[in-house]
Amino acid sequence: MASSKDYLAYILDQLSLLDGITHRAMMGEFILYKDKKIFGGIYDDRFLVKPTKSAMEKMPKAPHELPYEGAKEMLLVEDVDNREFLRELVTTMCAELPEPKSRKK
């Protein structure tokens, strides 16, 4: 099942306290970036994030779910209505994530 553009728009609106949020459509789903770092995505109308240390600390009871078959587990964000929580979550997560690799042309 592909994710809806309406759910994507809702999540992007909830993340509007953050600068540098972008997305890319990929095989019916949406990859989410902050300042070019992938931190999560929308999969089957679920907001999933990478299981970084800070994400697991902020959401200790979050279900671990597969975005798609064969992928690594991610954390389901259940408190999508709390913009301040989402701002803190994504900010702390992205501080832990490595810089994106530069592409050679």
Side-chain angles (χ1 to χ4, degrees):
M1 174 179 108
S3 293
S4 71
K5 289 184 180 179
D6 289 339
Y7 190 72
L8 170 67
Y10 174 71
I11 294 299
L12 292 175
D13 184 56
Q14 294 302 100
L15 295 171
S16 64
L17 297 178
L18 293 156
D19 292 327
I21 299 293
T22 58
H23 69 281
R24 172 178 279 153
M26 187 153 314
M27 299 183 338
E29 308 298 351
F30 301 97
I31 309 300
L32 298 175
Y33 300 81
K34 175 163 181 10
D35 301 326
K36 300 182 181 177
K37 292 181 180 182
I38 298 173
F39 68 88
I42 308 295
Y43 303 92
D44 297 328
D45 285 340
R46 299 171 297 161
F47 180 27
L48 303 178
V49 296
K50 290 184 173 188
T52 65
K53 181 180 176 186
S54 62
M56 291 188 291
E57 288 172 355
K58 289 190 175 298
M59 303 184 304
K61 296 181 181 179
H64 291 243
E65 301 203 1
L66 294 174
Y68 52 88
E69 193 170 327
K72 293 180 182 178
E73 284 188 339
M74 297 178 80
L75 301 177
L76 175 65
V77 180
E78 296 178 302
D79 193 6
V80 295
D81 296 327
N82 185 338
R83 288 181 182 191
E84 185 58 34
F85 169 76
L86 294 177
R87 184 189 65 76
E88 291 175 18
L89 174 67
V90 174
T91 300
T92 57
M93 284 182 62
C94 288
E96 294 177 44
L97 295 171
E99 290 300 318
K101 296 177 184 174
S102 62
R103 293 186 174 188
K104 296 180 181 179
K105 291 185 178 183

